Amino acid sequence: MSDHKAKQGITIKQDHSNMEGPTVEHLKDSASTSDPGHVARESQGTESTDMSTTKHEKDASTTKATEEQLEWHPISHPKLPITTPPCYFVNKRGDVCSISTGKHRLLRQVKGVNTPTYALSISKYKTTTFKLREIMVYTFLDGQFDKDEHYIFHKDGQQKNCALANLLVSDLSTLQQLEIARLENLHPNTRYTVVRNIHDTSTFEHYLVSDNGDVYSLVSQKHLKKSVLETGYQIAVLSSDNRRGLPKAHVHMLFHSIVLQSFNGRPMVTFILHTSMGTD
């Protein structure tokens, strides 16, 4: 509609220039000789028209972008059976709906989970849960996501923001670089590195550790909570990355051990002498 109005405006201007009698240019010349201030006023009017046209174009672009965000697409997911017609739909904003007997119904998220999740029927008597971020990438980024190889990165660090524009599919190496850059930008005086050298057979490289002793999970995109032992040491529970078929393991690690082994680049084989108890 906005584009149409803009085109009409141009057409009207052209029609007036073709009218019988004095043309637009003749009127300009006449006005300039009889009223010195007319040129300035006309110039302002032209600028106003240009600004109005630009505003219409921006409004039209915004409207088109909004319409694309709200357009419904049938959900695609390996665990969800293909039905004809489709039962579940999602838009690029991250809304999920179902259509049954011709009725459109927005679905509510499953309560009590950290990341947006929906319960969808996979058969007549069975439902299962689907993470919204996986629904989004399987539906809109067909063929770009392999759950065994890739991670889904929330660009703003907010897991609840599953709009397509906020999601990025990447391998672990790329994800590490992105998160380290983002975290160090948020905390300029802090360095982060990948958690390494804490287990013989399993990898924990989907965790990052800072030089002040904080451990960050690339999966949950949160810093791990610190449990304090009776001795005063702080301990973390880490789960290994098994996306590549590696052995699954859970380890309890002292935070200062994680810092030393990850930043030094080798396993710890000696006792640690604390220089500051405030950064354990």
Side-chain angles (χ1 to χ4, degrees), residues 148-162:
D148 292 329
E149 295 292 335
H150 299 124
Y151 285 86
I152 302 172
F153 174 70
H154 296 253
K155 296 177 183 177
D156 63 359
Q158 302 297 319
Q159 281 202 87
K160 294 187 182 299
N161 182 2
C162 292

Side-chain angles (χ1 to χ4, degrees), residues 209-271:
V209 60
S210 70
D211 56 5
N212 65 7
D214 292 321
V215 176
Y216 182 87
S217 169
L218 294 174
V219 177
S220 66
Q221 291 191 269
K222 292 181 179 179
H223 285 90
L224 300 189
K225 294 181 179 179
K226 297 181 178 180
S227 301
V228 182
L229 301 176
E230 293 181 358
T231 56
Y233 290 109
Q234 296 171 334
I235 193 169
V237 180
L238 307 181
S239 299
S240 66
D241 177 20
N242 63 342
R243 289 176 183 263
R244 303 172 187 173
L246 298 171
K248 188 72 174 177
H250 299 276
V251 298
H252 292 71
M253 288 288 296
L254 297 173
F255 275 85
H256 60 260
S257 300
I258 299 173
V259 173
L260 182 67
Q261 295 175 194
S262 298
F263 277 97
N264 279 4
R266 62 180 183 275
M268 184 181 67
V269 294
T270 59
F271 289 103

Side-chain angles (χ1 to χ4, degrees), residues 68-134:
E68 289 178 354
Q69 289 290 312
L70 299 179
E71 183 179 349
W72 293 107
H73 297 260
I75 289 178
S76 175
H77 195 287
K79 293 194 301 182
L80 189 67
I82 299 175
T83 60
T84 305
C87 297
Y88 297 106
F89 294 79
V90 65
N91 59 32
K92 292 182 179 179
R93 192 174 66 178
D95 302 314
V96 177
C97 77
S98 66
I99 296 181
S100 178
T101 63
K103 294 182 179 179
H104 168 281
R105 181 170 63 94
L106 283 175
L107 300 184
R108 294 183 179 181
Q109 297 176 12
V110 175
K111 295 182 180 179
V113 292
N114 293 327
T115 184
T117 303
Y118 288 88
L120 307 180
S121 298
I122 59 173
S123 66
K124 188 174 182 180
Y125 302 104
K126 185 177 181 180
T127 62
T128 190
T129 56
F130 294 80
K131 292 181 179 179
L132 178 56
R133 61 190 180 195
E134 292 185 5

Side-chain angles (χ1 to χ4, degrees), residues 52-63:
S52 177
T53 302
T54 302
K55 184 177 183 299
H56 282 310
E57 290 174 350
K58 289 182 178 179
D59 290 344
S61 177
T62 301
T63 301

